[in-house]
Coordinates of all heavy atoms in Angstrom, one line a residue:
M1 N -14.9 -8.2 31.0 CA -14.5 -7.4 29.8 C -13.0 -7.3 29.8 O -12.3 -7.0 30.8 CB -15.2 -6.1 29.8 CG -14.8 -5.3 28.6 SD -15.8 -3.7 28.6 CE -15.6 -3.3 27.0
I2 N -12.4 -7.5 28.7 CA -10.9 -7.4 28.5 C -10.6 -6.0 28.1 O -11.2 -5.4 27.2 CB -10.4 -8.4 27.4 CG1 -10.7 -9.8 27.9 CG2 -9.0 -8.2 27.2 CD1 -10.4 -10.9 26.9
A3 N -9.6 -5.4 28.7 CA -9.1 -4.0 28.4 C -8.5 -4.1 27.0 O -7.8 -5.0 26.6 CB -8.1 -3.5 29.4
P4 N -8.8 -3.0 26.2 CA -8.2 -3.0 24.8 C -6.7 -2.9 24.9 O -6.1 -2.2 25.7 CB -8.8 -1.8 24.2 CG -9.3 -0.9 25.3 CD -9.6 -1.9 26.5
N5 N -6.1 -3.5 23.9 CA -4.6 -3.5 23.8 C -4.3 -2.4 22.7 O -4.4 -2.7 21.5 CB -4.1 -4.8 23.4 CG -2.6 -4.8 23.2 OD1 -1.9 -3.8 23.2 ND2 -2.0 -6.0 23.1
H6 N -3.7 -1.3 23.1 CA -3.4 -0.3 22.2 C -2.0 -0.3 21.7 O -1.4 0.6 21.1 CB -3.7 1.1 22.8 CG -5.1 1.3 23.1 ND1 -6.1 1.6 22.2 CD2 -5.8 1.3 24.3 CE1 -7.2 1.7 22.7 NE2 -7.1 1.5 24.0
H7 N -1.3 -1.5 21.9 CA 0.1 -1.6 21.6 C 0.3 -2.7 20.5 O 1.4 -3.2 20.4 CB 0.9 -1.9 22.8 CG 0.8 -0.8 23.9 ND1 1.4 0.4 23.7 CD2 0.1 -0.8 25.0 CE1 1.1 1.2 24.7 NE2 0.3 0.5 25.5
V8 N -0.8 -3.1 19.8 CA -0.6 -4.0 18.7 C 0.1 -3.4 17.6 O -0.2 -2.3 17.2 CB -2.0 -4.6 18.3 CG1 -1.9 -5.5 17.1 CG2 -2.7 -5.3 19.5
L9 N 1.0 -4.1 17.0 CA 1.7 -3.6 15.8 C 1.3 -4.3 14.6 O 1.1 -5.5 14.6 CB 3.3 -3.8 16.0 CG 3.9 -3.1 17.2 CD1 5.4 -3.5 17.3 CD2 3.8 -1.6 17.1
T10 N 1.1 -3.6 13.5 CA 0.8 -4.2 12.2 C 2.1 -4.7 11.6 O 3.2 -4.3 12.1 CB 0.2 -3.2 11.3 OG1 1.1 -2.2 11.0 CG2 -1.1 -2.6 11.9
G11 N 2.0 -5.5 10.6 CA 3.2 -5.9 9.9 C 4.0 -4.7 9.4 O 5.3 -4.7 9.4
L12 N 3.3 -3.6 8.9 CA 4.0 -2.4 8.5 C 4.8 -1.8 9.6 O 5.9 -1.3 9.4 CB 3.0 -1.5 7.9 CG 3.5 -0.1 7.4 CD1 4.6 -0.3 6.3 CD2 2.4 0.7 6.8
D13 N 4.2 -1.7 10.8 CA 4.9 -1.1 12.0 C 6.1 -1.9 12.3 O 7.2 -1.3 12.6 CB 3.9 -1.1 13.2 CG 2.8 -0.1 13.1 OD1 3.1 1.0 12.7 OD2 1.7 -0.5 13.3
V14 N 6.0 -3.2 12.3 CA 7.2 -4.1 12.6 C 8.3 -3.9 11.5 O 9.4 -3.7 11.8 CB 6.8 -5.6 12.7 CG1 8.0 -6.5 12.8 CG2 5.8 -5.8 13.9
W15 N 7.9 -3.9 10.3 CA 8.8 -3.7 9.2 C 9.5 -2.3 9.3 O 10.7 -2.2 9.2 CB 8.1 -3.7 7.8 CG 9.0 -3.5 6.7 CD1 9.8 -4.4 6.0 CD2 9.3 -2.2 6.0 NE1 10.5 -3.8 5.0 CE2 10.2 -2.5 5.0 CE3 8.9 -0.9 6.3 CZ2 10.7 -1.5 4.2 CZ3 9.4 0.1 5.5 CH2 10.3 -0.2 4.4
S16 N 8.7 -1.3 9.6 CA 9.3 0.1 9.8 C 10.3 0.1 10.9 O 11.3 0.8 10.8 CB 8.2 1.1 10.0 OG 7.4 1.2 8.9
R17 N 10.0 -0.6 12.0 CA 10.9 -0.5 13.2 C 12.2 -1.4 12.9 O 13.3 -1.0 13.4 CB 10.2 -1.0 14.4 CG 9.2 0.0 14.9 CD 8.4 -0.5 16.1 NE 7.4 0.5 16.4 CZ 6.8 0.5 17.6 NH1 7.1 -0.4 18.5 NH2 5.9 1.4 17.9
T18 N 12.1 -2.5 12.3 CA 13.2 -3.3 12.1 C 14.0 -3.0 10.8 O 15.2 -3.0 10.8 CB 12.9 -4.8 12.1 OG1 12.0 -5.0 11.0 CG2 12.2 -5.3 13.4
N19 N 13.3 -2.7 9.8 CA 13.9 -2.4 8.5 C 15.2 -3.2 8.2 O 16.2 -2.6 8.0 CB 14.1 -0.9 8.4 CG 14.3 -0.4 7.0 OD1 14.1 -1.2 6.0 ND2 14.6 0.9 6.8
S20 N 15.0 -4.5 8.4 CA 16.2 -5.4 8.3 C 16.5 -5.9 6.9 O 17.0 -7.0 6.8 CB 16.0 -6.5 9.3 OG 14.8 -7.2 9.0
R21 N 16.2 -5.2 5.9 CA 16.5 -5.7 4.6 C 18.0 -5.8 4.3 O 18.7 -4.9 4.8 CB 15.9 -4.7 3.5 CG 14.4 -4.6 3.6 CD 13.8 -3.6 2.5 NE 14.8 -2.8 1.8 CZ 15.1 -1.6 2.1 NH1 14.5 -1.0 3.1 NH2 15.9 -0.9 1.4
A22 N 18.3 -6.8 3.6 CA 19.7 -6.9 3.2 C 20.0 -5.9 2.0 O 19.1 -5.7 1.2 CB 20.0 -8.3 2.8
Q23 N 21.2 -5.4 1.9 CA 21.4 -4.5 0.8 C 21.2 -5.2 -0.5 O 21.6 -6.3 -0.7 CB 22.9 -4.0 0.9 CG 23.1 -2.9 -0.1 CD 24.5 -2.2 0.1 OE1 25.2 -2.6 0.9 NE2 24.7 -1.2 -0.6
G24 N 20.5 -4.5 -1.4 CA 20.2 -5.1 -2.7 C 18.9 -5.9 -2.7 O 18.5 -6.3 -3.8
E25 N 18.4 -6.2 -1.6 CA 17.1 -7.0 -1.5 C 16.0 -6.2 -2.0 O 15.9 -5.0 -1.8 CB 16.9 -7.4 -0.1 CG 15.6 -8.3 0.1 CD 15.4 -8.7 1.5 OE1 16.4 -8.8 2.3 OE2 14.3 -8.9 1.9
E26 N 15.0 -6.8 -2.7 CA 13.9 -6.0 -3.2 C 12.7 -6.2 -2.3 O 12.5 -7.3 -1.7 CB 13.5 -6.6 -4.6 CG 14.6 -6.3 -5.7 CD 14.1 -6.7 -7.0 OE1 12.9 -7.0 -7.2 OE2 15.0 -6.8 -7.9
D27 N 11.9 -5.2 -2.2 CA 10.7 -5.2 -1.4 C 9.5 -5.0 -2.4 O 9.6 -4.2 -3.3 CB 10.6 -4.1 -0.4 CG 11.6 -4.3 0.8 OD1 11.3 -5.3 1.5 OD2 12.5 -3.5 1.0
R28 N 8.5 -5.8 -2.2 CA 7.3 -5.7 -3.1 C 6.1 -5.7 -2.2 O 6.0 -6.4 -1.2 CB 7.2 -6.9 -4.0 CG 8.4 -6.9 -5.0 CD 8.2 -8.0 -6.0 NE 9.1 -7.7 -7.0 CZ 10.2 -8.4 -7.4 NH1 10.5 -9.3 -6.9 NH2 11.0 -8.1 -8.3
A29 N 5.2 -4.9 -2.5 CA 3.9 -4.8 -1.8 C 2.8 -4.3 -2.7 O 3.1 -3.4 -3.5 CB 4.1 -3.9 -0.6
D30 N 1.7 -4.8 -2.5 CA 0.5 -4.2 -3.2 C -0.1 -3.3 -2.2 O -0.1 -3.5 -1.0 CB -0.5 -5.3 -3.7 CG -1.0 -6.2 -2.6 OD1 -0.3 -6.4 -1.6 OD2 -2.2 -6.6 -2.7
H31 N -0.7 -2.2 -2.7 CA -1.2 -1.2 -1.8 C -2.7 -1.4 -1.6 O -3.4 -1.6 -2.6 CB -0.9 0.2 -2.3 CG -1.5 1.3 -1.5 ND1 -0.9 1.6 -0.2 CD2 -2.6 2.1 -1.6 CE1 -1.7 2.5 0.3 NE2 -2.7 2.8 -0.5
H32 N -3.1 -1.3 -0.4 CA -4.5 -1.3 -0.1 C -4.8 -0.2 0.8 O -4.0 0.2 1.6 CB -4.9 -2.7 0.6 CG -6.3 -2.9 0.7 ND1 -7.0 -2.5 1.8 CD2 -7.2 -3.6 -0.1 CE1 -8.3 -2.8 1.6 NE2 -8.4 -3.5 0.5
H33 N -5.9 0.5 0.7 CA -6.2 1.7 1.4 C -6.2 1.4 2.9 O -6.1 2.4 3.7 CB -7.5 2.3 1.0 CG -8.7 1.4 1.3 ND1 -9.1 0.4 0.5 CD2 -9.6 1.5 2.3 CE1 -10.1 -0.2 1.0 NE2 -10.5 0.5 2.1
T34 N -6.3 0.2 3.4 CA -6.2 -0.1 4.8 C -4.8 -0.3 5.3 O -4.5 -0.6 6.5 CB -7.1 -1.3 5.2 OG1 -6.6 -2.4 4.5 CG2 -8.5 -1.0 4.9
G35 N -3.8 -0.3 4.4 CA -2.4 -0.6 4.7 C -1.8 0.7 5.3 O -1.0 1.4 4.7
L36 N -2.0 0.8 6.6 CA -1.6 2.0 7.4 C -0.8 1.6 8.6 O -1.1 0.5 9.2 CB -2.8 2.9 7.8 CG -3.7 3.3 6.7 CD1 -4.9 4.0 7.4 CD2 -3.1 4.3 5.7
D37 N 0.1 2.4 9.0 CA 0.8 2.1 10.3 C 0.1 2.8 11.4 O -1.0 3.4 11.2 CB 2.3 2.6 10.2 CG 2.5 4.1 10.1 OD1 1.5 4.9 10.3 OD2 3.6 4.5 9.9
Q38 N 0.6 2.7 12.6 CA -0.1 3.2 13.8 C -0.3 4.7 13.7 O -1.2 5.3 14.4 CB 0.7 2.9 15.1 CG 0.6 1.5 15.5 CD 1.3 1.3 16.8 OE1 2.3 1.9 17.1 NE2 0.9 0.3 17.5
N39 N 0.4 5.4 12.9 CA 0.3 6.9 12.8 C -0.6 7.3 11.6 O -0.7 8.5 11.2 CB 1.7 7.5 12.7 CG 2.5 7.3 13.9 OD1 2.0 7.4 15.0 ND2 3.7 6.9 13.7
G40 N -1.1 6.3 10.9 CA -2.0 6.6 9.7 C -1.2 6.8 8.4 O -1.8 7.2 7.4
R41 N 0.1 6.5 8.4 CA 0.9 6.6 7.2 C 0.7 5.4 6.3 O 0.7 4.3 6.8 CB 2.4 6.7 7.7 CG 3.3 7.0 6.6 CD 4.7 7.2 7.2 NE 5.1 6.1 8.0 CZ 6.3 5.8 8.5 NH1 7.3 6.7 8.1 NH2 6.6 4.8 9.2
R42 N 0.5 5.7 5.0 CA 0.3 4.6 4.1 C 1.6 3.8 3.9 O 2.7 4.3 4.1 CB 0.0 5.2 2.7 CG -1.3 6.0 2.6 CD -1.6 6.5 1.3 NE -0.4 7.0 0.5 CZ -0.4 7.1 -0.8 NH1 -1.4 6.8 -1.5 NH2 0.7 7.6 -1.4
N43 N 1.4 2.5 3.6 CA 2.6 1.6 3.4 C 3.6 2.1 2.4 O 4.8 2.1 2.6 CB 2.2 0.2 3.2 CG 1.3 0.0 2.0 OD1 1.1 0.9 1.2 ND2 0.8 -1.3 1.8
V44 N 3.1 2.7 1.2 CA 4.0 3.2 0.2 C 4.8 4.4 0.7 O 6.0 4.5 0.4 CB 3.2 3.5 -1.1 CG1 2.2 4.7 -0.9 CG2 4.2 3.9 -2.2
D45 N 4.2 5.2 1.5 CA 4.9 6.4 2.1 C 6.0 5.9 3.1 O 7.1 6.4 3.1 CB 3.9 7.3 2.7 CG 2.9 7.9 1.7 OD1 3.3 8.1 0.5 OD2 1.8 8.1 2.0
A46 N 5.6 4.9 3.9 CA 6.6 4.4 4.9 C 7.8 3.8 4.1 O 8.9 4.0 4.5 CB 5.9 3.4 5.8
M47 N 7.5 3.0 3.1 CA 8.6 2.4 2.3 C 9.5 3.4 1.7 O 10.7 3.3 1.7 CB 8.0 1.4 1.3 CG 7.3 0.2 1.9 SD 6.4 -0.8 0.7 CE 7.8 -1.7 0.0
R48 N 8.9 4.4 1.1 CA 9.7 5.5 0.4 C 10.5 6.2 1.4 O 11.7 6.5 1.2 CB 8.8 6.4 -0.4 CG 8.2 5.7 -1.6 CD 7.1 6.5 -2.3 NE 7.5 7.9 -2.5 CZ 7.7 8.5 -3.7 NH1 7.6 7.8 -4.8 NH2 8.0 9.8 -3.7
E49 N 9.9 6.5 2.6 CA 10.7 7.2 3.6 C 11.9 6.4 4.2 O 12.9 7.0 4.6 CB 9.8 7.6 4.8 CG 8.8 8.8 4.4 CD 7.8 9.0 5.4 OE1 7.9 8.6 6.6 OE2 6.7 9.6 5.1
A50 N 11.7 5.1 4.1 CA 12.8 4.2 4.5 C 13.9 4.0 3.4 O 14.8 3.3 3.6 CB 12.2 2.8 4.9
G51 N 13.7 4.6 2.3 CA 14.7 4.5 1.2 C 14.4 3.4 0.2 O 15.3 3.1 -0.6
V52 N 13.2 2.8 0.3 CA 12.9 1.8 -0.7 C 12.5 2.4 -2.0 O 11.7 3.4 -2.0 CB 11.7 0.9 -0.2 CG1 11.3 -0.1 -1.3 CG2 12.1 0.2 1.1
Q53 N 13.1 2.0 -3.1 CA 12.8 2.6 -4.4 C 11.5 1.9 -4.9 O 11.5 0.9 -5.5 CB 13.9 2.4 -5.4 CG 13.6 3.0 -6.7 CD 14.8 2.8 -7.7 OE1 15.8 2.3 -7.4 NE2 14.6 3.3 -8.9
V54 N 10.4 2.6 -4.7 CA 9.1 2.1 -5.1 C 8.9 2.6 -6.6 O 9.0 3.8 -6.8 CB 7.9 2.6 -4.2 CG1 6.6 2.1 -4.7 CG2 8.2 2.1 -2.8
T55 N 8.5 1.7 -7.5 CA 8.4 2.2 -8.9 C 7.0 2.1 -9.4 O 6.6 2.7 -10.4 CB 9.3 1.4 -9.8 OG1 9.0 0.0 -9.7 CG2 10.8 1.6 -9.5
A56 N 6.1 1.3 -8.7 CA 4.7 1.2 -9.1 C 3.9 0.7 -8.0 O 4.4 0.0 -7.1 CB 4.6 0.3 -10.3
L57 N 2.6 0.9 -8.0 CA 1.7 0.4 -7.0 C 0.7 -0.5 -7.7 O 0.3 -0.3 -8.9 CB 0.9 1.5 -6.4 CG 1.8 2.6 -5.7 CD1 0.9 3.7 -5.2 CD2 2.6 2.0 -4.5
F58 N 0.1 -1.5 -7.0 CA -0.9 -2.3 -7.5 C -2.1 -2.1 -6.6 O -2.0 -2.1 -5.4 CB -0.5 -3.8 -7.5 CG 0.7 -4.1 -8.3 CD1 2.0 -4.0 -7.8 CD2 0.5 -4.4 -9.6 CE1 3.1 -4.3 -8.6 CE2 1.6 -4.7 -10.4 CZ 2.9 -4.7 -9.9
S59 N -3.3 -1.9 -7.3 CA -4.5 -1.6 -6.5 C -5.5 -2.8 -6.5 O -5.6 -3.5 -7.6 CB -5.1 -0.3 -6.9 OG -5.8 -0.5 -8.1
P60 N -6.2 -2.9 -5.5 CA -7.3 -4.0 -5.4 C -8.5 -3.5 -6.2 O -8.5 -2.4 -6.8 CB -7.6 -4.1 -3.9 CG -7.3 -2.7 -3.4 CD -6.1 -2.2 -4.2
E61 N -9.6 -4.3 -6.2 CA -10.8 -4.0 -6.9 C -11.5 -2.7 -6.5 O -12.3 -2.2 -7.2 CB -11.8 -5.2 -6.8 CG -12.4 -5.4 -5.5 CD -11.5 -6.2 -4.5 OE1 -10.3 -6.4 -4.7 OE2 -12.1 -6.6 -3.5
H62 N -11.1 -2.2 -5.4 CA -11.8 -0.9 -4.9 C -11.0 0.3 -5.2 O -11.3 1.4 -4.7 CB -12.1 -1.0 -3.4 CG -13.0 -2.2 -3.1 ND1 -14.3 -2.3 -3.5 CD2 -12.7 -3.3 -2.4 CE1 -14.8 -3.4 -3.0 NE2 -13.9 -4.1 -2.4
G63 N -10.0 0.2 -6.0 CA -9.1 1.3 -6.3 C -8.1 1.6 -5.3 O -8.2 1.1 -4.2
I64 N -7.2 2.5 -5.6 CA -6.1 2.8 -4.7 C -6.5 3.4 -3.4 O -5.9 3.3 -2.3 CB -5.0 3.7 -5.4 CG1 -3.7 3.7 -4.6 CG2 -5.5 5.1 -5.6 CD1 -2.9 2.4 -4.8
A65 N -7.7 4.2 -3.4 CA -8.2 4.8 -2.2 C -9.3 4.0 -1.6 O -9.8 4.5 -0.5 CB -8.6 6.2 -2.5
G66 N -9.7 2.9 -2.2 CA -10.8 2.1 -1.6 C -12.2 2.7 -1.8 O -13.1 2.3 -1.1
K67 N -12.3 3.6 -2.7 CA -13.6 4.3 -2.9 C -14.4 3.8 -4.1 O -15.5 4.3 -4.4 CB -13.4 5.8 -3.0 CG -12.8 6.3 -1.7 CD -12.6 7.8 -1.8 CE -12.0 8.3 -0.5 NZ -11.8 9.7 -0.4
E68 N -13.9 2.9 -4.8 CA -14.6 2.4 -6.0 C -15.0 0.9 -5.8 O -14.5 0.2 -4.9 CB -13.6 2.5 -7.2 CG -13.1 3.8 -7.5 CD -14.1 4.8 -8.0 OE1 -15.1 4.4 -8.6 OE2 -13.9 6.0 -7.9
D69 N -15.9 0.5 -6.6 CA -16.3 -0.9 -6.6 C -16.9 -1.3 -7.9 O -18.1 -1.3 -8.1 CB -17.2 -1.2 -5.5 CG -17.5 -2.7 -5.3 OD1 -16.8 -3.5 -5.9 OD2 -18.4 -3.1 -4.6
R70 N -16.1 -1.5 -8.9 CA -16.6 -1.8 -10.3 C -15.6 -2.7 -11.0 O -14.4 -2.7 -10.7 CB -16.9 -0.6 -11.0 CG -15.7 0.3 -11.2 CD -16.1 1.6 -12.0 NE -14.9 2.2 -12.6 CZ -14.3 3.2 -12.1 NH1 -14.7 3.8 -11.0 NH2 -13.2 3.7 -12.7
P71 N -16.1 -3.5 -11.9 CA -15.2 -4.5 -12.6 C -14.2 -3.9 -13.6 O -13.3 -4.5 -14.0 CB -16.2 -5.4 -13.3 CG -17.4 -4.6 -13.5 CD -17.5 -3.6 -12.4
D72 N -14.4 -2.6 -13.9 CA -13.5 -2.0 -14.9 C -12.5 -1.0 -14.4 O -12.3 0.0 -15.0 CB -14.4 -1.3 -16.0 CG -15.2 -0.2 -15.5 OD1 -15.5 -0.2 -14.2 OD2 -15.7 0.6 -16.3
M73 N -12.0 -1.3 -13.2 CA -11.0 -0.4 -12.6 C -9.8 -0.3 -13.5 O -9.0 -1.2 -13.6 CB -10.6 -0.9 -11.2 CG -11.6 -0.7 -10.2 SD -12.1 1.0 -9.9 CE -10.6 1.8 -9.5
A74 N -9.6 0.9 -14.1 CA -8.5 1.1 -15.0 C -7.2 1.4 -14.2 O -7.3 1.8 -13.1 CB -8.8 2.2 -16.0
D75 N -6.1 1.3 -14.9 CA -4.8 1.7 -14.3 C -4.9 3.2 -14.0 O -5.7 3.9 -14.7 CB -3.7 1.5 -15.3 CG -3.5 0.0 -15.5 OD1 -3.9 -0.9 -14.7 OD2 -2.9 -0.4 -16.5
D76 N -4.1 3.7 -13.1 CA -4.3 5.1 -12.7 C -2.9 5.6 -12.3 O -1.9 5.0 -12.5 CB -5.3 5.1 -11.5 CG -5.9 6.5 -11.3 OD1 -5.6 7.5 -12.0 OD2 -6.7 6.6 -10.4
K77 N -2.9 6.8 -11.6 CA -1.7 7.4 -11.0 C -2.0 7.8 -9.6 O -3.1 8.3 -9.3 CB -1.3 8.6 -11.9 CG 0.0 9.2 -11.4 CD 0.4 10.4 -12.3 CE 1.1 9.8 -13.5 NZ 1.8 10.8 -14.2
D78 N -1.1 7.5 -8.7 CA -1.3 7.9 -7.3 C -1.1 9.4 -7.2 O 0.0 9.9 -7.5 CB -0.3 7.1 -6.4 CG -0.4 7.5 -4.9 OD1 -1.5 7.5 -4.4 OD2 0.7 7.8 -4.3
A79 N -2.1 10.1 -6.7 CA -2.0 11.5 -6.6 C -0.9 12.0 -5.7 O -0.3 13.1 -5.9 CB -3.4 12.1 -6.1
A80 N -0.6 11.3 -4.6 CA 0.4 11.8 -3.6 C 1.8 11.6 -4.1 O 2.7 12.4 -3.8 CB 0.2 11.0 -2.3
T81 N 2.1 10.5 -4.8 CA 3.5 10.2 -5.2 C 3.7 10.3 -6.7 O 4.9 10.4 -7.1 CB 3.8 8.8 -4.8 OG1 3.0 7.9 -5.6 CG2 3.7 8.5 -3.3
G82 N 2.7 10.3 -7.5 CA 2.8 10.3 -8.9 C 3.2 9.0 -9.5 O 3.4 8.9 -10.7
L83 N 3.2 8.0 -8.7 CA 3.6 6.6 -9.2 C 2.5 6.0 -10.0 O 1.3 6.3 -9.7 CB 3.9 5.7 -8.0 CG 5.2 6.0 -7.2 CD1 5.2 5.2 -5.9 CD2 6.4 5.7 -8.1
P84 N 2.8 5.2 -11.0 CA 1.7 4.5 -11.7 C 1.0 3.5 -10.8 O 1.7 2.9 -10.0 CB 2.5 3.8 -12.9 CG 3.9 3.7 -12.4 CD 4.1 4.9 -11.5
V85 N -0.3 3.4 -11.0 CA -1.1 2.4 -10.2 C -1.6 1.4 -11.2 O -2.4 1.8 -12.1 CB -2.2 3.1 -9.4 CG1 -3.1 2.1 -8.7 CG2 -1.7 4.1 -8.5
W86 N -1.2 0.2 -11.1 CA -1.7 -0.9 -12.0 C -2.9 -1.6 -11.3 O -2.7 -2.1 -10.2 CB -0.6 -1.8 -12.3 CG 0.5 -1.2 -13.1 CD1 0.4 -0.1 -13.9 CD2 1.9 -1.6 -13.1 NE1 1.7 0.2 -14.4 CE2 2.6 -0.7 -13.9 CE3 2.6 -2.6 -12.5 CZ2 3.9 -0.8 -14.2 CZ3 3.9 -2.7 -12.7 CH2 4.6 -1.8 -13.5
S87 N -4.0 -1.6 -11.9 CA -5.2 -2.2 -11.4 C -5.1 -3.7 -11.5 O -4.7 -4.2 -12.6 CB -6.4 -1.7 -12.1 OG -7.6 -2.5 -11.7
L88 N -5.4 -4.4 -10.5 CA -5.3 -5.9 -10.5 C -6.7 -6.5 -11.0 O -6.8 -7.7 -11.1 CB -5.0 -6.5 -9.1 CG -3.6 -6.1 -8.6 CD1 -3.5 -6.6 -7.2 CD2 -2.5 -6.6 -9.5
H89 N -7.6 -5.6 -11.2 CA -9.0 -6.0 -11.6 C -9.5 -5.4 -12.9 O -10.7 -5.3 -13.2 CB -9.9 -5.7 -10.5 CG -9.7 -6.6 -9.3 ND1 -10.2 -7.9 -9.2 CD2 -8.9 -6.4 -8.3 CE1 -9.7 -8.4 -8.1 NE2 -8.9 -7.6 -7.5
Y90 N -8.6 -4.8 -13.7 CA -9.0 -4.2 -15.0 C -9.3 -5.3 -16.0 O -8.5 -6.2 -16.2 CB -8.0 -3.3 -15.5 CG -8.4 -2.6 -16.8 CD1 -9.5 -1.8 -16.9 CD2 -7.6 -2.8 -18.0 CE1 -9.9 -1.1 -18.0 CE2 -8.0 -2.1 -19.1 CZ -9.1 -1.3 -19.2 OH -9.5 -0.7 -20.3
N91 N -10.5 -5.3 -16.6 CA -10.8 -6.4 -17.5 C -10.9 -5.9 -19.0 O -11.3 -6.6 -19.8 CB -12.1 -7.1 -17.1 CG -13.3 -6.2 -17.2 OD1 -13.3 -5.1 -17.7 ND2 -14.4 -6.6 -16.6
G92 N -10.5 -4.6 -19.2 CA -10.5 -4.1 -20.5 C -11.8 -3.6 -21.1 O -11.9 -3.3 -22.2
V93 N -12.9 -3.7 -20.3 CA -14.2 -3.3 -20.8 C -14.3 -1.8 -20.9 O -13.9 -1.1 -20.0 CB -15.3 -3.8 -19.8 CG1 -16.6 -3.3 -20.3 CG2 -15.3 -5.3 -19.8
T94 N -14.7 -1.3 -22.0 CA -14.9 0.2 -22.1 C -16.3 0.4 -22.6 O -17.0 -0.4 -23.2 CB -13.9 0.8 -23.1 OG1 -14.1 0.2 -24.4 CG2 -12.5 0.7 -22.6
G95 N -16.8 1.6 -22.2 CA -18.2 2.1 -22.6 C -19.2 1.2 -22.2 O -20.2 0.8 -22.4

């Protein structure tokens, strides 16, 4: 049996540690509820804390919190940041 490696870094962890963006460079990311760093911090929160001007979030078919699963995921607002959340799976169906 192989001992677990508790020192694996996610891409978010590496980005947070290096934060090697050139001045004026834009960062873009879609948010998924599994996009967390080693401390459980969401990618959008890590980016904002690093000074990235996040203006909107894009959510997958399960919604920004990963608790939905339907074809009519409408645009929303992130409760924690107030940022608009644009659904990547909204098909305009109502009723």
